[in-house]
Amino acid sequence: SFGSRGMPKKQFDGFAVGGHDQGVKPDGEVVLKIVQSGARGRKEIDFLKDAVNHPFLSRFVPKFHGTRTIVDDKSGEKQEWIVMENAIKGLAKPAIADVKIGTRTYGVEASPAKIDEQTQKAMESTQGSIGARVIGAHMLNESGDDFIQAGYKYSKDEPKTLQDFSDLLLRFLSTDSLRQEAERYFLELYDWFSSQTEFEFYGSSLLLSFDTQDGGRQGLVCKLIDFGNVVKRAVVSQSAL
């Protein structure tokens, strides 16, 4: 379903593209994300805390603003929510893409059944072959007068090959300036991931966005999201390369 300005409801929070709409509440310049059950919720909070003053990650990770307890309207139960920077704050009419990174998406505590399930999914998509998968993309069509959706969560136009993946990314990054900005971000992230010895990232995503208001297509924003499977490791991480 669609809300105002031609965008899906909750689309502007930056997480609905990747299927997080049930656990995310936009609130102006911040986003509330429900704390995941078990160890994943605590891992995400701990990582967000670490990233706030990190010399590299502070530029790419939404700023952590603590947690908030909210009473569920239906059940009456108290729920803990993470409060973090809205990754697409200030964008009036954003185009957004959620790209899951790494050939492995399951965490270190995954059950054998979960490992088999996630491994099979990776093998059937570009996740297993190139270490990246378009979970969801909300972008302008070729004429620039309407939004279209693509990717795994929309069950249509999901890239199955490297060429398909490249074609979709180029359609999303539809101008030379956007592509140049993306290349700078990707090279910067690759250099850091290929040498850092602090964290292993499993199941995290790159959230790419830019404003399309008044026909403009510029000012690419690149953020890392989803940290429920991040663990600290004192070795060079290959998990997100």
Side-chain angles (χ1 to χ4, degrees):
S1 60
F2 284 76
S4 62
R5 299 186 296 182
M7 290 184 290
K9 293 178 181 178
K10 297 186 182 180
Q11 185 63 58
F12 57 92
D13 61 41
F15 290 85
V17 169
H20 298 274
D21 51 307
Q22 298 302 313
V24 171
K25 296 181 179 183
D27 187 12
E29 293 199 348
V30 299
V31 163
L32 279 66
K33 181 181 180 183
I34 196 165
V35 175
Q36 300 177 74
S37 60
R40 295 180 65 189
R42 181 49 53 188
K43 285 180 181 178
E44 185 153 39
I45 291 172
D46 289 345
F47 175 80
L48 287 167
K49 288 180 178 178
D50 288 338
V52 169
N53 296 311
H54 192 279
F56 180 83
L57 290 172
S58 58
R59 293 177 47 230
F60 287 97
V61 174
K63 186 176 181 181
F64 180 65
H65 291 285
T67 61
R68 187 182 301 177
T69 300
I70 299 176
V71 178
D72 184 79
D73 292 335
K74 294 181 179 180
S75 67
E77 295 180 356
K78 292 183 178 181
Q79 297 175 329
E80 187 179 12
W81 294 72
I82 294 169
V83 184
M84 72 182 96
E85 173 191 9
N86 187 339
I88 57 171
K89 64 182 180 182
L91 303 187
K93 198 173 181 181
I96 311 168
D98 179 329
V99 182
K100 191 171 291 294
I101 56 176
T103 54
R104 170 179 161 178
T105 59
Y106 56 87
V108 296
E109 296 162 343
S111 66
K114 185 70 171 180
I115 292 172
D116 289 344
E117 175 193 349
Q118 294 298 310
T119 300
Q120 185 63 33
K121 283 184 178 180
M123 290 173 61
E124 295 172 352
S125 71
T126 55
Q127 199 82 61
S129 57
I130 66 173
R133 185 181 194 183
V134 178
I135 301 301
H138 175 73
M139 59 191 184
L140 289 174
N141 59 16
E142 290 186 7
S143 60
D145 58 4
D146 198 8
F147 280 97
I148 59 174
Q149 285 76 40
Y152 164 65
K153 288 296 182 181
Y154 295 101
S155 299
K156 60 181 181 180
D157 292 336
E158 184 190 358
K160 297 296 185 182
T161 67
L162 173 58
Q163 186 62 56
D164 292 341
F165 179 90
S166 298
D167 289 346
L168 178 55
L169 198 58
L170 290 174
R171 283 166 52 202
F172 177 77
L173 301 167
S174 53
T175 68
D176 287 340
S177 61
L178 286 171
R179 293 168 186 174
Q180 290 167 4
E181 286 182 280
E183 183 177 16
R184 286 196 293 270
Y185 281 133
F186 295 165
L187 288 174
E188 205 172 348
L189 285 163
Y190 181 83
D191 285 346
W192 183 78
F193 273 114
S194 61
S195 61
Q196 65 93 16
T197 56
E198 298 173 81
F199 305 100
E200 288 272 10
F201 291 79
Y202 302 115
S204 295
S205 288
L206 281 180
L207 190 72
L208 306 173
S209 60
F210 59 91
D211 206 343
T212 67
Q213 179 79 339
D214 300 323
R217 303 190 189 192
Q218 58 186 352
L220 184 68
V221 178
C222 178
K223 295 290 186 179
L224 288 162
I225 60 171
D226 293 340
F227 309 111
N229 289 319
V230 173
V231 293
K232 292 187 176 182
R233 291 281 177 86
V235 295
V236 175
S237 172
Q238 299 294 318
S239 56
L241 295 176

